[in-house]
Amino acid sequence: MRAPVAEHYVLRQNCTGSYLSLNQQTQSIEGVSSVEAAWSFHSHEGAVSHALLIGQTHGETPDVIKLA
């Protein structure tokens, strides 16, 4: 029996189309052009929760994008 493929989600800014990433040095949220460099979530609930919090603090709620 095959193990299920883990789902991955990323956040994308509506206004720029860039993906959101967490800067490891400054701990700030920044936009990146590559989905491979984006902040990855392993559950839909976690991605939605972070998207809503970002929307509350930054004024724009990012889209949740399912990768796999």
Side-chain angles (χ1 to χ4, degrees), residues 41-62:
F41 297 88
H42 297 287
S43 74
H44 184 257
E45 294 80 12
V48 169
S49 174
H50 281 78
L52 293 172
L53 289 171
I54 290 168
Q56 289 175 354
T57 57
H58 291 270
E60 179 187 358
T61 303

Side-chain angles (χ1 to χ4, degrees), residues 25-68:
Q25 294 176 342
T26 63
Q27 297 299 299
S28 62
I29 297 170
E30 60 188 17
V32 294
S33 60
S34 169
V35 72
E36 290 83 13
W39 193 2
S40 179
F41 297 88
H42 297 287
S43 74
H44 184 257
E45 294 80 12
V48 169
S49 174
H50 281 78
L52 293 172
L53 289 171
I54 290 168
Q56 289 175 354
T57 57
H58 291 270
E60 179 187 358
T61 303
D63 292 329
V64 174
I65 308 297
K66 182 178 179 181
L67 299 180

